[in-house]
Amino acid sequence: MRDSAIYIGIGCSGWWLHWVAMTEPIATEEITVEEDANGVPAMTTVERAQLLLDQDAAITARIQEGATLDEAVDPSNKEFGPQAHPEQVQMRVAKRAMMLKEGLNPYPVTLDVTSTIEAVRAKYDGTLEAGQETDDVVGVAGRVLFIRNAGGLCFVQLAAGDGTTIQAMLSKKQIGADSLKLFKQLVDLGDHLFVKGRVIASKTGELSIFADEWAIAAKALQPLPTLHKELNEDTRTRKPYIGMIADEKIRNMVRNRSKAVSSLRRTFDDHDFLEVETPMLQTVHGGAAARPFTTHMNAFDLDLYLRIAPELFLKRCLVGGIDRVFEINRDFRNEGVDGTHAPEFTMVEAYEAYGNYDTIAALVKELVQKTAKDVFGSTTVTLLDGTEYDLGGEWKTMSMYDSLSEALGQEIVPNGGPDHPGTSVEELGRIADKLGVERDDVENHGKLVEHLWEHFYEDKLYEPTFVRDFPVETSPLVKAHRSKPGVVEKWDLYVRGFELATGYSELNDPIVQRERFVAQAKDALAGDEEACDIDEDFLEALGVGMPPAGGMGMGIDRLLIALTGATIRETITFPLVKPLNG
């Protein structure tokens, strides 16, 4: 034995059988601290944790006193009650205790891992004939997904983290009767197992490791779900680590998300953008129209907001001379939750000095198309429902006001101020009421125009489309259009019926910016919870001089939605879910 882990090795040759998959059921009951339908008394979190520790100690004590595994467990939980460990977990706790009794470490620090399952597969797949052996000795480790015990020969399927599998074969003739007996007694599905031996092909042609030695690398106390059945939604969202083990789609989403972020960074680097980090805790919320989360800093006795957007700090970087800047950031908005909205999400924002909303649109198209190619190999991607979606070529553009006028059959004119009043709020309200469009408690020309436009178009723009030239009232940080009063140089990019990204010609006139902030602050006083506050520090920074610039923002989660057809919850590795106990 070596390093308190199980290592047994005897040189000899063996004979072959092909493994048959076996599965192990999982305990499906959810244990909470609330009283259940059978009237079980409620327990606090600490009380239940102590209960489980007491049960673990009792099982360990029985093993130390010489009990067998079956004698150490209490299937009906007569001693500790219905909120204690189920039988399967008790049995695994007993096996852990058995290992400790024998001086074997169920969680060793190091193992003689010399290769990976992926590397062995890459080297030998398709190169060995059935029954062919090599002299290549490797040490690999992986999670046990299937076991078949066939007398003097055991077959084990080990999986790497990415789902790549390989078969391990343990022969009584090769490792000894005692070692094989111990293997059958201690190893469960879900355990991390180390094996070392020669690379061979079984008599059925299965690439295998013919073990000379083995060790439990980490004893799993919780059983795996039945792997051939699809996970339910609750398990996928509450226990995403189970999803990563059992569901290839979930594993792929995690990896594809990482590839997408890496692709975005490479494209920004190709254009000489500098990545920075801006504050997540802010004294003034701004950069977007959204309801913020609030918190309190005890050290300063100061109320703070969780960031809703990094925009105002990234623009300070432009003032400071960082002419091309971006940030991939976590943002928090205390709003609704649906298939494209989450309270905590990841966004990329970028700003380019001496650019505008046209140049930044070209950059966004490049970012999206390169990400599709880097992650999936093509700008035509296959969605989860099997349909294909084309992100290639040139993308369509449309004007918000022109398209709304066309849909209504009457011209809707922007509100350009006293000299160009445009379509009145009263008229827009009448149209909204006639169409049954939802209205806000605090509304203005711009909000009504956007609500009306969304009524006709929002979920109908399937192909990639830039919707351009928005009302000034809803875009306080955007530069006025060069030739259209009451309109700002802003676009929203729609893909498959939802907004993916937004881009602007950035406002850099401090006087106009103050006017916009004041108008927003008045809306806030009137009850608009999404209106921006006045940020005097940002106004002072603008006063130092910010160059003309183009800016963009795009949700990373939404980018994955566009590329895969998943919901936002499926693209976030650890989505926020409401606790079962409230």
Side-chain angles (χ1 to χ4, degrees):
M1 290 184 289
R2 188 187 324 160
D3 191 31
S4 297
I6 308 168
Y7 287 85
I8 308 290
I10 301 175
C12 197
S13 60
W15 53 279
W16 321 107
L17 289 173
H18 187 55
W19 62 268
V20 176
M22 296 178 64
T23 61
E24 179 175 343
I26 186 171
T28 57
E29 67 269 22
E30 290 286 353
I31 301 174
T32 74
V33 296
E34 299 295 324
E35 183 172 319
D36 64 19
N38 296 319
V40 177
M43 300 180 73
T44 67
T45 302
V46 174
E47 287 172 341
R48 181 165 184 270
Q50 185 61 56
L51 172 75
L52 298 179
L53 283 175
D54 292 343
Q55 187 180 31
D56 294 340
I59 293 171
T60 301
R62 293 187 194 111
I63 292 292
Q64 291 294 329
E65 292 165 1
T68 65
L69 292 173
D70 288 334
E71 292 169 342
V73 302
D74 175 19
S76 59
N77 267 326
K78 293 179 181 178
E79 181 179 359
F80 290 96
Q83 294 200 38
H85 290 309
E87 181 181 2
Q88 288 190 68
V89 176
Q90 291 183 53
M91 180 60 73
R92 289 166 181 253
V93 170
K95 291 181 180 183
R96 172 187 178 275
M98 185 75 74
M99 292 180 68
L100 292 172
K101 179 183 178 182
E102 298 299 325
L104 307 171
N105 188 348
Y107 306 99
V109 177
T110 60
L111 296 155
D112 190 19
V113 174
T114 63
S115 189
T116 64
I117 294 172
E118 300 94 325
V120 175
R121 278 278 179 201
K123 183 175 181 180
Y124 286 104
D125 259 346
T127 66
L128 301 181
E129 299 291 335
Q132 184 177 351
E133 302 182 11
T134 77
D135 294 325
D136 187 5
V137 176
V138 297
V140 301
R143 188 182 292 275
V144 177
L145 295 188
F146 302 106
I147 303 175
R148 184 188 179 212
N149 297 324
L153 186 64
C154 290
F155 299 88
V156 186
Q157 186 185 53
L158 301 180
D162 68 352
T164 304
T165 61
I166 198 165
Q167 179 172 270
M169 302 171 64
L170 296 96
S171 165
K172 179 172 69 173
K173 191 173 181 180
Q174 187 75 5
I175 65 174
D178 290 342
S179 176
L180 189 63
K181 179 181 178 181
L182 205 57
F183 175 87
K184 293 179 180 181
Q185 185 179 44
L186 297 178
V187 176
D188 291 303
L189 297 183
D191 290 351
H192 285 270
L193 183 71
F194 166 80
V195 295
K196 186 173 183 179
R198 290 176 294 115
V199 178
I200 67 167
S202 72
K203 288 197 172 182
T204 60
E206 182 72 22
L207 184 64
S208 306
I209 308 296
F210 190 57
D212 296 317
E213 54 187 68
W214 64 273
I216 290 179
K219 183 65 190 170
L221 301 185
Q222 295 289 335
L224 291 178
T226 303
L227 296 178
H228 65 269
K229 294 183 179 179
E230 187 171 341
L231 295 178
N232 60 47
E233 177 67 19
D234 192 65
T235 299
R236 283 200 303 268
T237 54
R238 294 185 182 279
K239 302 176 181 178
Y241 47 90
I242 296 294
M244 295 177 207
I245 296 169
D247 192 331
E248 183 181 16
K249 295 191 295 292
I250 295 176
R251 288 195 300 271
N252 288 342
M253 182 63 73
V254 175
R255 285 171 168 78
N256 288 338
R257 184 185 180 100
S258 179
K259 291 178 183 178
V261 171
S262 296
S263 175
L264 293 172
R265 285 195 165 103
R266 283 194 299 272
T267 302
F268 280 120
D269 189 58
D270 290 343
H271 288 277
D272 297 324
F273 278 76
L274 185 68
E275 184 173 11
V276 300
E277 296 176 344
T278 63
M280 190 174 292
L281 294 174
Q282 301 179 355
T283 56
V284 178
H285 68 91
R291 184 179 179 182
F293 286 94
T294 60
T295 187
H296 185 80
M297 181 179 177
N298 292 333
F300 290 174
D301 191 21
L302 182 65
D303 289 333
L304 295 168
Y305 301 99
L306 295 185
R307 175 173 59 196
I308 61 173
E311 178 171 346
L312 301 187
F313 285 93
L314 293 176
K315 286 182 174 178
R316 287 172 171 91
C317 292
L318 292 180
V319 173
I322 303 175
D323 286 345
R324 296 188 175 198
V325 63
F326 79 99
E327 181 178 12
I328 296 174
N329 56 90
R330 301 293 286 177
D331 294 309
F332 307 86
R333 297 182 183 179
N334 197 0
E335 300 173 333
V337 177
D338 58 30
T340 58
H341 293 84
E344 178 184 3
F345 60 97
T346 306
M347 184 165 65
V348 56
E349 285 202 15
Y351 296 87
E352 178 186 28
Y354 305 104
N356 54 51
Y357 77 151
D358 294 316
T359 63
I360 213 74
L363 174 64
V364 167
K365 182 161 77 75
E366 181 181 351
L367 287 166
V368 173
Q369 292 179 341
K370 280 192 173 181
T371 300
K373 290 179 181 178
D374 288 345
V375 177
F376 298 105
S378 171
T379 55
T380 300
V381 296
T382 301
L383 306 179
L384 291 179
D385 63 4
T387 61
E388 291 189 343
Y389 185 76
D390 186 10
L391 289 156
E394 295 302 314
W395 291 351
K396 180 181 175 182
T397 64
M398 63 189 297
S399 161
M400 173 167 283
Y401 277 94
D402 291 347
S403 58
L404 178 58
S405 297
E406 181 180 348
L408 287 172
Q410 70 177 85
E411 185 178 12
I412 302 299
V413 180
N415 175 21
D419 297 332
H420 305 277
T423 305
S424 68
V425 171
E426 292 75 19
E427 173 63 14
L428 292 170
R430 283 193 292 271
I431 297 171
D433 291 340
K434 180 179 178 181
L435 294 171
V437 173
E438 184 178 354
R439 298 176 64 176
D440 296 321
D441 294 334
V442 181
E443 60 186 11
N444 52 43
H445 170 97
K447 284 190 174 185
L448 284 165
V449 166
E450 289 198 19
H451 288 328
L452 288 169
W453 182 90
E454 290 166 358
H455 172 78
F456 287 106
Y457 290 103
E458 183 175 36
D459 59 355
K460 299 176 179 64
L461 297 180
Y462 189 76
E463 64 179 293
T465 304
F466 288 109
V467 181
R468 295 164 60 94
D469 303 339
F470 278 61
V472 65
E473 293 90 347
T474 57
S475 306
L477 299 168
V478 187
K479 186 169 287 188
H481 197 280
R482 283 161 273 188
S483 61
K484 300 176 182 178
V487 171
V488 294
E489 294 194 353
K490 169 187 173 179
W491 53 255
D492 279 352
L493 171 62
Y494 279 83
V495 171
R496 294 183 43 244
F498 65 89
E499 180 192 335
L500 172 59
T502 189
Y504 316 124
S505 295
E506 299 296 341
L507 178 59
N508 61 342
D509 183 332
I511 303 300
V512 176
Q513 184 64 81
R514 185 180 296 278
E515 292 173 353
R516 303 270 187 88
F517 275 161
V518 168
Q520 286 278 304
K522 290 179 179 178
D523 285 345
L525 291 173
D528 188 346
E529 294 179 330
E530 295 185 347
C532 297
D533 203 350
I534 298 174
D535 190 332
E536 287 292 346
D537 183 77
F538 175 68
L539 290 169
E540 184 175 342
L542 276 189
V544 175
M546 187 186 94
M552 61 77 66
M554 178 169 62
I556 303 296
D557 317 301
R558 290 193 174 199
L559 177 59
L560 268 295
I561 295 172
L563 295 175
T564 66
T567 66
I568 194 168
R569 179 171 286 192
E570 291 169 329
T571 70
I572 298 174
T573 308
F574 294 97
L576 179 66
V577 291
K578 188 176 181 180
L580 290 173
N581 61 8

